[in-house]
Amino acid sequence: MFRYCSLSAEVLTKAGRFFPTVLSTKAGRFVAAVFFATATLFSFLPSAAAQTSLFFPRNLKKAYDKGTRSWDGKPGPNYWQNRANYVINASLEPKTRRLSGEETVTYFNNSPDTLKQIRFKLQHDRYRKGGQRAYDVTPSDISDEGVRIENLTYNGQAVDDKKRRRASTFLDIDLKDNPLPPKSTATMTVNWSYTLPAGEDAARECVCDSTTFFVPYWYPQIAVYDDLRGWADAPYTGTYEFYHEFADYDVTISMPPGFQVWATGEWQNAADILEKTYSDRWTKAHTAAEVISVFSEKELTAGGVYKNAKQNIFKFKASDVPDFAFAASDHFNWDATSVVVDDKTGRRTFVSAAYNTASTDYPQVARIAADGIRLMSTYLPGYPFPYPSMTVFNGNDGMEYPMMCNDASTAPRSPMTLTIHEVSHTYFPFMMGINEQDYAWMDEGWASFFDYTLSDSLSGHTIGGVRGYSGIAGTDNDVPPMVKSRNLSSAYRNASYQRPQNAYLTLLDLLGYEKFHHCMSVYMDRWKGKHPAPFDFFNTWNDASGQNLDWFWRPWFFEWGYPDLAIQSVVNDDAAKCQVIIVERKGNIPVPVHLEVEHTDGSKQTIHHTAAVWKDGATSFRIACMPGKTVKSAQLGQKTIPDTDQKDNRFTTP
Ligand SMILES: [Zn+2]
């Protein structure tokens, strides 16, 4: 998610420019001596139960004892996850906004557990009267029944009311009398309907105008049952979103004539719906490098785009994705192109932008999305984009779904940062099945890292800013990210976006691009299509980097605190015939030392050391300047390095 609201100024601050230290020349090798002070800030009490020096929650240990997770960060030898496959038939009536569907779900209990219930998520039930909500909703969007369930069967038997339990946004089926054994399969059918919320407060879903819709969270979806906690129990209240089981989808969506549908997955029947001119354009765009208009609003108005039919019935298929969303409009423009995402195989991703003519930024979006996907595949994270299709739809939010984004127009600003942010979510939380309800920093932090680094690269350093962390760092709203996301409210945003984005940028600087990329690739190879949790991330990066990074993870993710460096003094080293700048670490969160030095003879020098100088708990760091020169001024820090007190970052010769 990327909310444009009161936070937009903070989110889009262009103050920072990524300093590509990994590519920078470290002008000169300066003798640097680290003073080892007492390492109180970095000390810890190792848990007797856990093979990590980090604080380890007791309740997660059973997964390691049972071998479903490993201390080296790999999935354990006994790792399992459940799965659900969906066949869905749905229709949307634009005039009434009524969505109706029927689905067959095949659920695979791959766990070693006997399941005494099955849990469906009914996310639209946050609009049910009395429902729990993180945000206000428009009163007219609230209904007594929420999602109407008209039929529910389990293995061919109707599930009567006594066996159903509706609470918050869940529908549980009681299986106490007929539990689902380990390593077995169940089949369920559900018929349901509800009315799409149309109020101004609706976000994520969008009734964008009377004939344009973005539809997420729309079908009864099986909740995750995992090895760490059993059934996921965080209701959807509007903030904490994804944690879904991987699934195959076979979805049919019926719309009145004149409507186009865009959705997760690959469209199966373009030639049945579009006249040849337009289906040929659609086909051509699948291999084209340039952006092609599949159709424009003007062409839709003129008629002749669609074959005559009583209904436009769209068929989509998607494999191994954790969710399915769709969108529909009868007047949106459609641009499409494609991009090679895997140089080894030549595999391409089909990239679309669907938009209102009034959105003047949107003609750039297909190009930006395709170029962004290319950079994601080759640079950061530097891992082939996993999906065959990606559509950015001009909705009302900044919101990601597998292969779909609901992105508001950003005009007159560039849509680049928002587009990159939402598209890059493909990796986290989708390809890597992150539990965002508990650890949003494991996906929002990365999307924020990508939106900055990739926008910076794509735009030639003119677009993209680091989210400001200095202002909030060390306040009582700067909660360590390891506190579960669902337990945060006003502290959620910083813990999920700002602080982890700054941590990952510091990590890139620390490891250098090659090692960082290696660790990322190992992490993705190990956990693609699975559910990595925080210690799988920390331990994999420790393992893949060949170094124990706990000293870095601890202050950034587990501790209260803040980053704050200062120039303590500039002293003469008579023996070495040079001056020495002493940098003091006043805060516990480790950040790079970056100095711009000017000498009295007018010469200048840039000095950069990664956060590794603080690894062993040092509280000060000595930097020897050029022999024979006198420091006129020194400026510590840079806009991309958070520092809560910058008043002590400058030295000028008295
Ligand atoms: Zn996001």
Side-chain angles (χ1 to χ4, degrees), residues 327-570:
S329 178
D330 66 353
H331 64 94
F332 266 26
N333 304 278
W334 185 359
D335 293 346
T337 184
S338 71
V339 61
V340 174
V341 295
D342 187 343
D343 287 331
K344 282 193 195 130
T345 62
R347 180 168 63 81
R348 305 181 84 91
T349 292
F350 177 63
V351 184
S352 295
Y355 58 97
N356 196 334
T357 302
S359 297
T360 53
D361 55 327
Y362 250 91
Q364 306 169 56
V365 168
R367 179 78 275 141
I368 289 171
D371 291 347
I373 287 170
R374 176 71 190 163
L375 271 188
M376 290 167 209
S377 302
T378 56
Y379 173 46
L380 288 170
Y383 200 88
F385 194 78
Y387 294 153
S389 169
M390 186 74 229
T391 299
V392 184
F393 187 84
N394 183 188
N396 58 349
D397 204 344
M399 194 60 219
E400 71 281 5
Y401 302 89
M403 304 187 219
M404 293 288 288
C405 302
N406 166 5
D407 284 0
S409 166
T410 61
R413 293 188 310 243
S414 165
M416 184 178 284
T417 308
L418 177 62
T419 303
I420 299 282
H421 181 100
E422 305 310 338
V423 172
S424 76
H425 268 303
T426 295
Y427 293 94
F428 308 94
F430 301 136
M431 183 184 95
M432 309 280 277
I434 301 297
N435 178 351
E436 188 187 20
Q437 296 173 332
D438 286 340
Y439 308 113
W441 56 272
M442 293 182 77
D443 80 302
E444 294 297 0
W446 283 120
S448 305
F449 171 88
F450 297 135
D451 78 38
Y452 172 47
T453 50
L454 302 186
S455 296
D456 188 64
S457 292
L458 267 185
S459 68
H461 314 295
T462 60
I463 294 176
V466 174
R467 285 163 171 75
Y469 173 52
S470 302
I472 192 172
T475 68
D476 56 8
N477 250 346
D478 178 22
V479 172
M482 277 300 288
V483 177
K484 291 201 292 186
S485 305
R486 67 167 101 168
N487 295 335
L488 305 175
S489 55
S490 62
Y492 168 76
R493 188 149 195 102
N494 174 65
S496 310
Y497 293 72
Q498 276 93 325
R499 182 159 160 174
Q501 182 208 39
N502 279 266
Y504 298 146
L505 287 167
T506 306
L507 184 63
L508 171 60
D509 185 62
L510 173 70
L511 295 177
Y513 176 78
E514 294 300 329
K515 191 166 273 190
F516 182 93
H517 177 247
H518 171 71
C519 293
M520 183 67 94
S521 300
V522 170
Y523 180 41
M524 289 184 161
D525 282 343
R526 288 181 177 183
W527 289 96
K528 180 180 181 179
K530 299 188 171 69
H531 294 307
F535 288 88
D536 305 316
F537 165 64
F538 299 133
N539 293 337
T540 286
W541 283 63
N542 286 354
D543 189 35
S545 67
Q547 49 189 290
N548 188 334
L549 295 166
D550 288 356
W551 66 271
F552 178 85
W553 309 129
R554 186 175 302 107
W556 272 105
F557 293 97
F558 290 75
E559 290 182 349
W560 294 86
Y562 53 89
D564 183 19
L565 301 182
I567 296 178
Q568 189 186 74
S569 57
V570 177

